Amino acid sequence: MQQMMLQNTKFKIQYPSGNSQILGISMLLIISMTWLIRQIQNDYTPQSILYLGGAQILIYTIVLIIFIYRKSMKTTLLMISRDSLFINDRIVEANEIKMLMVTGYFRPLLGIRPTDKKYVPTNLCFRFLEEEDQGMKELKNWAEQNQIPFLQKGFTRWI
């Protein structure tokens, strides 16, 4: 079998938009705030319940800010070299990768799952901005050369 040697190739990538997550967290935040306002108006609500409701709203707000921050992040580069990937200012060696996963068809989302992680870290989850077909082909060839599974399956990413 003839293996094509990859040169250093670069592709523009970005984090996934997260619009559905932003919408979901916003709805949870509105519902929680409405519930907390009603509980404050109720004279019989224990203080501990009010504190827990406030903590819940704080957590939702922090998660929402994280999603909005990630959505606003600029594009970055994915550089494919012979035995490593340079992604988001981080070098990932082929021996550190358990598998590459792709989910979706029209705007596929790629995830790189390290060997020591159960989930795909958010900084290793991306979409191609330009030359999507070429990027997918190069990444698949790179995975085959380094004997890394390249799977079409859904994956979970951590915030």
Side-chain angles (χ1 to χ4, degrees):
M1 181 171 113
Q2 179 185 5
Q3 288 189 345
M4 176 178 63
M5 295 303 283
L6 293 173
Q7 298 176 0
N8 287 350
T9 53
K10 296 179 183 180
F11 297 97
K12 286 186 179 180
I13 60 170
Q14 79 177 78
Y15 283 115
S17 65
N19 289 335
S20 58
Q21 289 90 349
I22 290 173
L23 180 64
I25 291 292
S26 297
M27 289 173 49
L28 284 172
L29 187 60
I30 290 169
I31 291 168
S32 296
M33 290 173 76
T34 304
W35 177 84
L36 186 62
I37 289 169
R38 287 185 181 163
Q39 293 305 314
I40 289 172
Q41 293 171 348
N42 184 355
D43 293 333
Y44 302 110
T45 304
Q47 287 292 93
S48 59
I49 297 294
L50 297 178
Y51 289 135
L52 288 174
Q56 180 182 16
I57 289 172
L58 179 65
I59 290 169
Y60 288 155
T61 303
I62 291 170
V63 171
L64 182 63
I65 290 169
I66 290 170
F67 281 133
I68 291 171
Y69 171 75
R70 291 225 171 104
K71 182 178 173 67
S72 68
M73 292 181 77
K74 294 183 179 182
T75 62
T76 185
L77 288 178
L78 166 70
M79 291 188 345
I80 303 173
S81 66
R82 189 169 160 218
D83 57 352
S84 64
L85 299 174
F86 181 77
I87 179 171
N88 298 324
D89 300 326
R90 177 179 171 197
I91 296 175
V92 183
E93 299 291 331
N95 60 0
E96 298 174 355
I97 299 173
K98 184 172 186 173
M99 67 179 72
L100 293 170
M101 295 178 283
V102 180
T103 186
Y105 183 73
F106 292 110
R107 291 189 59 210
L109 182 64
L110 287 100
I112 300 172
R113 184 170 158 204
T115 54
D116 60 342
K117 303 282 184 191
K118 194 171 187 176
Y119 301 106
V120 174
T122 303
N123 62 342
L124 295 178
C125 182
F126 59 93
R127 291 186 199 281
F128 286 105
L129 285 179
E130 301 167 355
E131 303 171 343
E132 180 180 309
D133 293 335
Q134 179 67 25
M136 292 289 270
K137 192 182 297 183
E138 290 272 343
L139 202 54
K140 189 170 188 171
N141 287 339
W142 180 86
E144 286 175 6
Q145 282 183 355
N146 290 290
Q147 299 170 343
I148 298 171
F150 190 89
L151 307 173
Q152 179 80 31
K153 70 180 245 182
F155 57 89
T156 305
R157 55 192 159 124
W158 186 248
I159 299 185

Short mmCIF file of all heavy atoms in Angstrom, two decimals, residues 27-79:
data_model
loop_
_atom_site.label_atom_id
_atom_site.label_comp_id
_atom_site.label_asym_id
_atom_site.label_seq_id
_atom_site.Cartn_x
_atom_site.Cartn_y
_atom_site.Cartn_z
N MET A 27 -32.84 29.78 28.37
CA MET A 27 -34.19 29.40 28.80
C MET A 27 -34.18 28.91 30.25
O MET A 27 -35.06 29.27 31.05
CB MET A 27 -34.76 28.35 27.86
CG MET A 27 -35.11 28.92 26.51
SD MET A 27 -35.60 27.72 25.25
CE MET A 27 -36.80 26.74 26.08
N LEU A 28 -33.20 28.10 30.61
CA LEU A 28 -33.09 27.63 31.99
C LEU A 28 -32.88 28.80 32.96
O LEU A 28 -33.44 28.82 34.06
CB LEU A 28 -31.93 26.65 32.14
CG LEU A 28 -32.16 25.24 31.63
CD1 LEU A 28 -30.87 24.44 31.67
CD2 LEU A 28 -33.24 24.55 32.43
N LEU A 29 -32.09 29.77 32.55
CA LEU A 29 -31.83 30.95 33.37
C LEU A 29 -33.11 31.75 33.59
O LEU A 29 -33.41 32.16 34.72
CB LEU A 29 -30.74 31.80 32.72
CG LEU A 29 -30.21 32.98 33.50
CD1 LEU A 29 -29.59 32.52 34.82
CD2 LEU A 29 -29.17 33.73 32.68
N ILE A 30 -33.89 31.95 32.54
CA ILE A 30 -35.15 32.70 32.67
C ILE A 30 -36.13 31.96 33.57
O ILE A 30 -36.75 32.56 34.45
CB ILE A 30 -35.75 32.95 31.27
CG1 ILE A 30 -34.89 33.96 30.52
CG2 ILE A 30 -37.20 33.44 31.38
CD1 ILE A 30 -35.23 34.09 29.05
N ILE A 31 -36.25 30.65 33.38
CA ILE A 31 -37.15 29.86 34.22
C ILE A 31 -36.71 29.91 35.68
O ILE A 31 -37.54 30.08 36.58
CB ILE A 31 -37.22 28.41 33.71
CG1 ILE A 31 -37.94 28.36 32.36
CG2 ILE A 31 -37.91 27.49 34.72
CD1 ILE A 31 -37.82 27.04 31.63
N SER A 32 -35.42 29.78 35.93
CA SER A 32 -34.91 29.80 37.31
C SER A 32 -35.11 31.16 37.95
O SER A 32 -35.46 31.24 39.14
CB SER A 32 -33.42 29.44 37.32
OG SER A 32 -33.24 28.14 36.87
N MET A 33 -34.90 32.21 37.19
CA MET A 33 -35.10 33.55 37.75
C MET A 33 -36.57 33.80 38.07
O MET A 33 -36.89 34.37 39.11
CB MET A 33 -34.57 34.62 36.77
CG MET A 33 -33.06 34.60 36.68
SD MET A 33 -32.43 35.70 35.41
CE MET A 33 -32.64 37.27 36.21
N THR A 34 -37.46 33.34 37.19
CA THR A 34 -38.89 33.48 37.45
C THR A 34 -39.29 32.73 38.71
O THR A 34 -40.03 33.24 39.56
CB THR A 34 -39.70 32.96 36.24
OG1 THR A 34 -39.28 33.65 35.07
CG2 THR A 34 -41.19 33.16 36.44
N TRP A 35 -38.78 31.49 38.83
CA TRP A 35 -39.07 30.68 40.02
C TRP A 35 -38.55 31.37 41.29
O TRP A 35 -39.26 31.42 42.30
CB TRP A 35 -38.43 29.30 39.87
CG TRP A 35 -38.61 28.44 41.07
CD1 TRP A 35 -39.69 27.67 41.37
CD2 TRP A 35 -37.69 28.29 42.15
NE1 TRP A 35 -39.49 27.04 42.57
CE2 TRP A 35 -38.26 27.41 43.08
CE3 TRP A 35 -36.43 28.82 42.44
CZ2 TRP A 35 -37.64 27.04 44.25
CZ3 TRP A 35 -35.81 28.45 43.61
CH2 TRP A 35 -36.41 27.57 44.50
N LEU A 36 -37.33 31.89 41.23
CA LEU A 36 -36.74 32.53 42.41
C LEU A 36 -37.52 33.78 42.80
O LEU A 36 -37.76 34.02 44.00
CB LEU A 36 -35.27 32.88 42.16
CG LEU A 36 -34.50 33.42 43.36
CD1 LEU A 36 -34.45 32.39 44.48
CD2 LEU A 36 -33.11 33.84 42.95
N ILE A 37 -37.96 34.58 41.84
CA ILE A 37 -38.76 35.77 42.15
C ILE A 37 -40.06 35.37 42.84
O ILE A 37 -40.47 36.00 43.82
CB ILE A 37 -39.02 36.59 40.86
CG1 ILE A 37 -37.72 37.25 40.40
CG2 ILE A 37 -40.11 37.63 41.08
CD1 ILE A 37 -37.78 37.86 39.01
N ARG A 38 -40.70 34.32 42.37
CA ARG A 38 -41.94 33.85 43.00
C ARG A 38 -41.68 33.35 44.42
O ARG A 38 -42.50 33.54 45.32
CB ARG A 38 -42.59 32.76 42.17
CG ARG A 38 -43.22 33.30 40.92
CD ARG A 38 -43.96 32.25 40.18
NE ARG A 38 -44.55 32.81 38.97
CZ ARG A 38 -44.97 32.11 37.96
NH1 ARG A 38 -44.91 30.78 38.01
NH2 ARG A 38 -45.48 32.69 36.90
N GLN A 39 -40.53 32.69 44.61
CA GLN A 39 -40.22 32.19 45.95
C GLN A 39 -39.90 33.33 46.91
O GLN A 39 -40.20 33.25 48.10
CB GLN A 39 -39.05 31.20 45.89
CG GLN A 39 -39.37 29.91 45.16
CD GLN A 39 -40.58 29.20 45.72
OE1 GLN A 39 -40.73 29.04 46.93
NE2 GLN A 39 -41.46 28.78 44.84
N ILE A 40 -39.27 34.38 46.41
CA ILE A 40 -38.97 35.54 47.26
C ILE A 40 -40.27 36.21 47.71
O ILE A 40 -40.39 36.65 48.85
CB ILE A 40 -38.05 36.55 46.50
CG1 ILE A 40 -36.66 35.95 46.36
CG2 ILE A 40 -38.00 37.89 47.20
CD1 ILE A 40 -35.73 36.74 45.47
N GLN A 41 -41.25 36.26 46.82
CA GLN A 41 -42.54 36.86 47.15
C GLN A 41 -43.34 36.02 48.14
O GLN A 41 -44.21 36.52 48.84
CB GLN A 41 -43.37 37.10 45.88
CG GLN A 41 -42.76 38.15 45.00
CD GLN A 41 -43.45 38.25 43.64
OE1 GLN A 41 -44.24 37.39 43.27
NE2 GLN A 41 -43.11 39.29 42.89
N ASN A 42 -43.02 34.74 48.21
CA ASN A 42 -43.70 33.83 49.14
C ASN A 42 -43.04 33.96 50.51
O ASN A 42 -41.85 33.74 50.67
CB ASN A 42 -43.59 32.40 48.62
CG ASN A 42 -44.35 31.40 49.48
OD1 ASN A 42 -44.89 31.75 50.52
ND2 ASN A 42 -44.38 30.17 49.03
N ASP A 43 -43.81 34.31 51.52
CA ASP A 43 -43.25 34.54 52.86
C ASP A 43 -42.81 33.25 53.55
O ASP A 43 -42.05 33.30 54.51
CB ASP A 43 -44.30 35.24 53.73
CG ASP A 43 -44.58 36.64 53.24
OD1 ASP A 43 -43.68 37.24 52.61
OD2 ASP A 43 -45.69 37.15 53.49
N TYR A 44 -43.27 32.10 53.10
CA TYR A 44 -43.00 30.84 53.80
C TYR A 44 -41.81 30.07 53.25
O TYR A 44 -41.52 28.97 53.71
CB TYR A 44 -44.25 29.95 53.76
CG TYR A 44 -45.45 30.64 54.37
CD1 TYR A 44 -46.51 31.05 53.57
CD2 TYR A 44 -45.51 30.90 55.74
CE1 TYR A 44 -47.60 31.70 54.12
CE2 TYR A 44 -46.60 31.54 56.29
CZ TYR A 44 -47.65 31.94 55.48
OH TYR A 44 -48.72 32.57 56.02
N THR A 45 -41.10 30.62 52.30
CA THR A 45 -39.96 29.93 51.70
C THR A 45 -38.75 30.04 52.62
O THR A 45 -38.36 31.14 53.01
CB THR A 45 -39.61 30.54 50.33
OG1 THR A 45 -40.78 30.50 49.50
CG2 THR A 45 -38.50 29.77 49.66
N PRO A 46 -38.13 28.90 52.96
CA PRO A 46 -36.92 28.94 53.81
C PRO A 46 -35.76 29.64 53.09
O PRO A 46 -35.65 29.59 51.87
CB PRO A 46 -36.59 27.47 54.04
CG PRO A 46 -37.78 26.69 53.62
CD PRO A 46 -38.54 27.54 52.66
N GLN A 47 -34.91 30.28 53.87
CA GLN A 47 -33.75 31.00 53.32
C GLN A 47 -32.83 30.06 52.54
O GLN A 47 -32.25 30.46 51.53
CB GLN A 47 -32.95 31.65 54.45
CG GLN A 47 -33.62 32.86 55.06
CD GLN A 47 -33.67 34.02 54.09
OE1 GLN A 47 -34.65 34.18 53.39
NE2 GLN A 47 -32.61 34.79 54.03
N SER A 48 -32.68 28.82 53.00
CA SER A 48 -31.78 27.89 52.32
C SER A 48 -32.23 27.63 50.88
O SER A 48 -31.40 27.51 49.98
CB SER A 48 -31.68 26.57 53.09
OG SER A 48 -32.96 25.98 53.21
N ILE A 49 -33.53 27.56 50.65
CA ILE A 49 -34.05 27.36 49.29
C ILE A 49 -33.72 28.57 48.42
O ILE A 49 -33.35 28.43 47.26
CB ILE A 49 -35.58 27.12 49.33
CG1 ILE A 49 -35.92 25.86 50.10
CG2 ILE A 49 -36.17 27.08 47.92
CD1 ILE A 49 -35.44 24.58 49.46
N LEU A 50 -33.83 29.76 49.00
CA LEU A 50 -33.50 30.97 48.24
C LEU A 50 -32.02 31.02 47.88
O LEU A 50 -31.65 31.41 46.77
CB LEU A 50 -33.90 32.22 49.04
CG LEU A 50 -35.40 32.39 49.34
CD1 LEU A 50 -35.62 33.64 50.18
CD2 LEU A 50 -36.20 32.43 48.06
N TYR A 51 -31.17 30.60 48.82
CA TYR A 51 -29.73 30.57 48.54
C TYR A 51 -29.39 29.55 47.45
O TYR A 51 -28.56 29.81 46.58
CB TYR A 51 -28.93 30.26 49.80
CG TYR A 51 -28.93 31.39 50.81
CD1 TYR A 51 -29.13 31.14 52.16
CD2 TYR A 51 -28.72 32.71 50.41
CE1 TYR A 51 -29.12 32.18 53.09
CE2 TYR A 51 -28.72 33.75 51.32
CZ TYR A 51 -28.93 33.48 52.66
OH TYR A 51 -28.92 34.50 53.56
N LEU A 52 -30.04 28.39 47.50
CA LEU A 52 -29.80 27.37 46.47
C LEU A 52 -30.27 27.86 45.10
O LEU A 52 -29.60 27.64 44.09
CB LEU A 52 -30.50 26.06 46.83
CG LEU A 52 -29.87 25.27 47.97
CD1 LEU A 52 -30.74 24.08 48.34
CD2 LEU A 52 -28.48 24.82 47.59
N GLY A 53 -31.41 28.54 45.07
CA GLY A 53 -31.89 29.11 43.81
C GLY A 53 -30.95 30.17 43.27
O GLY A 53 -30.69 30.23 42.06
N GLY A 54 -30.41 30.99 44.15
CA GLY A 54 -29.43 32.01 43.73
C GLY A 54 -28.16 31.37 43.21
O GLY A 54 -27.58 31.83 42.22
N ALA A 55 -27.71 30.29 43.86
CA ALA A 55 -26.51 29.58 43.41
C ALA A 55 -26.74 28.96 42.03
O ALA A 55 -25.86 29.00 41.16
CB ALA A 55 -26.11 28.51 44.41
N GLN A 56 -27.92 28.42 41.83
CA GLN A 56 -28.27 27.83 40.54
C GLN A 56 -28.24 28.90 39.44
O GLN A 56 -27.68 28.67 38.37
CB GLN A 56 -29.65 27.20 40.62
CG GLN A 56 -30.12 26.55 39.35
CD GLN A 56 -31.52 25.98 39.49
OE1 GLN A 56 -32.26 26.32 40.42
NE2 GLN A 56 -31.89 25.11 38.56
N ILE A 57 -28.78 30.04 39.70
CA ILE A 57 -28.78 31.13 38.72
C ILE A 57 -27.35 31.59 38.44
O ILE A 57 -26.99 31.87 37.30
CB ILE A 57 -29.67 32.29 39.21
CG1 ILE A 57 -31.14 31.87 39.13
CG2 ILE A 57 -29.42 33.57 38.42
CD1 ILE A 57 -32.11 32.84 39.75
N LEU A 58 -26.53 31.64 39.47
CA LEU A 58 -25.12 32.03 39.28
C LEU A 58 -24.40 31.03 38.38
O LEU A 58 -23.66 31.42 37.47
CB LEU A 58 -24.42 32.14 40.64
CG LEU A 58 -22.95 32.51 40.60
CD1 LEU A 58 -22.78 33.92 40.05
CD2 LEU A 58 -22.35 32.41 41.98
N ILE A 59 -24.62 29.75 38.61
CA ILE A 59 -23.98 28.71 37.78
C ILE A 59 -24.44 28.82 36.33
O ILE A 59 -23.62 28.78 35.40
CB ILE A 59 -24.26 27.31 38.36
CG1 ILE A 59 -23.50 27.14 39.67
CG2 ILE A 59 -23.87 26.22 37.37
CD1 ILE A 59 -23.89 25.91 40.46
N TYR A 60 -25.75 28.98 36.11
CA TYR A 60 -26.26 29.13 34.75
C TYR A 60 -25.66 30.36 34.07
O TYR A 60 -25.34 30.33 32.88
CB TYR A 60 -27.78 29.24 34.74
CG TYR A 60 -28.51 27.94 35.05
CD1 TYR A 60 -29.79 27.97 35.57
CD2 TYR A 60 -27.94 26.70 34.81
CE1 TYR A 60 -30.48 26.80 35.85
CE2 TYR A 60 -28.61 25.53 35.09
CZ TYR A 60 -29.88 25.58 35.60
OH TYR A 60 -30.56 24.42 35.88
N THR A 61 -25.52 31.43 34.82
CA THR A 61 -24.95 32.66 34.26
C THR A 61 -23.49 32.45 33.85
O THR A 61 -23.07 32.89 32.77
CB THR A 61 -25.07 33.81 35.27
OG1 THR A 61 -26.44 33.98 35.63
CG2 THR A 61 -24.54 35.11 34.70
N ILE A 62 -22.72 31.77 34.68
CA ILE A 62 -21.31 31.51 34.36
C ILE A 62 -21.20 30.63 33.11
O ILE A 62 -20.39 30.92 32.21
CB ILE A 62 -20.60 30.86 35.57
CG1 ILE A 62 -20.45 31.89 36.70
CG2 ILE A 62 -19.24 30.30 35.17
CD1 ILE A 62 -19.99 31.31 38.01
N VAL A 63 -22.01 29.59 33.03
CA VAL A 63 -21.98 28.71 31.86
C VAL A 63 -22.38 29.48 30.60
O VAL A 63 -21.77 29.33 29.54
CB VAL A 63 -22.88 27.47 32.08
CG1 VAL A 63 -23.04 26.68 30.80
CG2 VAL A 63 -22.31 26.59 33.18
N LEU A 64 -23.38 30.34 30.71
CA LEU A 64 -23.81 31.15 29.57
C LEU A 64 -22.69 32.08 29.11
O LEU A 64 -22.44 32.21 27.90
CB LEU A 64 -25.06 31.97 29.94
CG LEU A 64 -25.65 32.83 28.84
CD1 LEU A 64 -26.14 31.96 27.69
CD2 LEU A 64 -26.79 33.68 29.39
N ILE A 65 -21.98 32.68 30.04
CA ILE A 65 -20.86 33.55 29.69
C ILE A 65 -19.76 32.76 28.98
O ILE A 65 -19.17 33.23 28.00
CB ILE A 65 -20.32 34.27 30.95
CG1 ILE A 65 -21.34 35.32 31.42
CG2 ILE A 65 -18.96 34.92 30.67
CD1 ILE A 65 -21.04 35.90 32.78
N ILE A 66 -19.50 31.54 29.45
CA ILE A 66 -18.48 30.69 28.80
C ILE A 66 -18.89 30.39 27.37
O ILE A 66 -18.08 30.49 26.44
CB ILE A 66 -18.27 29.38 29.61
CG1 ILE A 66 -17.56 29.69 30.92
CG2 ILE A 66 -17.47 28.37 28.79
CD1 ILE A 66 -17.51 28.51 31.89
N PHE A 67 -20.16 30.02 27.15
CA PHE A 67 -20.62 29.72 25.79
C PHE A 67 -20.54 30.95 24.89
O PHE A 67 -20.14 30.85 23.73
CB PHE A 67 -22.05 29.19 25.80
CG PHE A 67 -22.14 27.73 26.18
CD1 PHE A 67 -23.08 27.30 27.11
CD2 PHE A 67 -21.32 26.78 25.61
CE1 PHE A 67 -23.18 25.97 27.45
CE2 PHE A 67 -21.42 25.44 25.95
CZ PHE A 67 -22.35 25.04 26.87
N ILE A 68 -20.93 32.09 25.40
CA ILE A 68 -20.88 33.32 24.59
C ILE A 68 -19.43 33.69 24.28
O ILE A 68 -19.10 34.10 23.16
CB ILE A 68 -21.62 34.47 25.30
CG1 ILE A 68 -23.12 34.19 25.31
CG2 ILE A 68 -21.33 35.81 24.64
CD1 ILE A 68 -23.93 35.13 26.17
N TYR A 69 -18.53 33.52 25.25
CA TYR A 69 -17.11 33.79 25.03
C TYR A 69 -16.56 32.88 23.92
O TYR A 69 -15.86 33.33 23.01
CB TYR A 69 -16.33 33.60 26.32
CG TYR A 69 -14.84 33.66 26.12
CD1 TYR A 69 -14.19 34.86 25.90
CD2 TYR A 69 -14.07 32.49 26.14
CE1 TYR A 69 -12.82 34.92 25.70
CE2 TYR A 69 -12.71 32.53 25.94
CZ TYR A 69 -12.08 33.74 25.72
OH TYR A 69 -10.73 33.78 25.52
N ARG A 70 -16.88 31.59 23.99
CA ARG A 70 -16.39 30.65 22.98
C ARG A 70 -16.96 30.96 21.61
O ARG A 70 -16.29 30.78 20.60
CB ARG A 70 -16.72 29.22 23.39
CG ARG A 70 -15.92 28.79 24.58
CD ARG A 70 -15.36 27.41 24.39
NE ARG A 70 -14.43 27.10 25.45
CZ ARG A 70 -14.68 26.31 26.46
NH1 ARG A 70 -15.84 25.71 26.53
NH2 ARG A 70 -13.77 26.09 27.37
N LYS A 71 -18.21 31.40 21.58
CA LYS A 71 -18.83 31.74 20.29
C LYS A 71 -18.13 32.93 19.65
O LYS A 71 -18.00 33.01 18.43
CB LYS A 71 -20.31 32.06 20.49
CG LYS A 71 -21.04 32.38 19.21
CD LYS A 71 -22.50 32.62 19.49
CE LYS A 71 -23.25 33.10 18.29
NZ LYS A 71 -23.36 32.16 17.23
N SER A 72 -17.64 33.85 20.47
CA SER A 72 -17.01 35.06 19.95
C SER A 72 -15.53 34.87 19.62
O SER A 72 -14.90 35.80 19.11
CB SER A 72 -17.16 36.19 20.96
OG SER A 72 -16.39 35.92 22.12
N MET A 73 -14.98 33.69 19.88
CA MET A 73 -13.56 33.47 19.60
C MET A 73 -13.28 33.51 18.10
O MET A 73 -14.10 33.09 17.29
CB MET A 73 -13.10 32.13 20.18
CG MET A 73 -13.10 32.12 21.69
SD MET A 73 -12.55 30.57 22.37
CE MET A 73 -10.80 30.74 22.11
N LYS A 74 -12.14 34.04 17.77
CA LYS A 74 -11.76 34.18 16.37
C LYS A 74 -11.33 32.83 15.80
O LYS A 74 -11.08 31.87 16.52
CB LYS A 74 -10.60 35.17 16.25
CG LYS A 74 -11.00 36.57 16.62
CD LYS A 74 -9.86 37.53 16.41
CE LYS A 74 -10.32 38.93 16.77
NZ LYS A 74 -9.27 39.91 16.55
N THR A 75 -11.21 32.81 14.49
CA THR A 75 -10.76 31.59 13.82
C THR A 75 -9.30 31.33 14.17
O THR A 75 -8.55 32.23 14.55
CB THR A 75 -10.91 31.72 12.30
OG1 THR A 75 -10.09 32.79 11.86
CG2 THR A 75 -12.35 31.98 11.92
N THR A 76 -8.91 30.10 14.03
CA THR A 76 -7.54 29.70 14.30
C THR A 76 -7.10 28.74 13.21
O THR A 76 -7.85 28.49 12.27
CB THR A 76 -7.42 29.07 15.71
OG1 THR A 76 -6.06 28.80 15.99
CG2 THR A 76 -8.24 27.83 15.83
N LEU A 77 -5.92 28.20 13.33
CA LEU A 77 -5.38 27.31 12.30
C LEU A 77 -5.21 25.90 12.83
O LEU A 77 -4.85 25.70 13.99
CB LEU A 77 -4.03 27.81 11.81
CG LEU A 77 -4.00 29.05 10.94
CD1 LEU A 77 -2.56 29.40 10.59
CD2 LEU A 77 -4.81 28.85 9.67
N LEU A 78 -5.45 24.95 11.94
CA LEU A 78 -5.10 23.56 12.17
C LEU A 78 -3.96 23.26 11.21
O LEU A 78 -4.12 23.43 10.00
CB LEU A 78 -6.29 22.64 11.88
CG LEU A 78 -5.96 21.15 11.76
CD1 LEU A 78 -5.57 20.59 13.13
CD2 LEU A 78 -7.13 20.39 11.18
N MET A 79 -2.82 22.88 11.76
CA MET A 79 -1.69 22.51 10.91
C MET A 79 -1.46 21.02 11.07
O MET A 79 -1.34 20.51 12.19
CB MET A 79 -0.43 23.29 11.29
CG MET A 79 -0.56 24.74 10.94
SD MET A 79 0.92 25.80 11.11
CE MET A 79 2.06 24.93 12.06
#
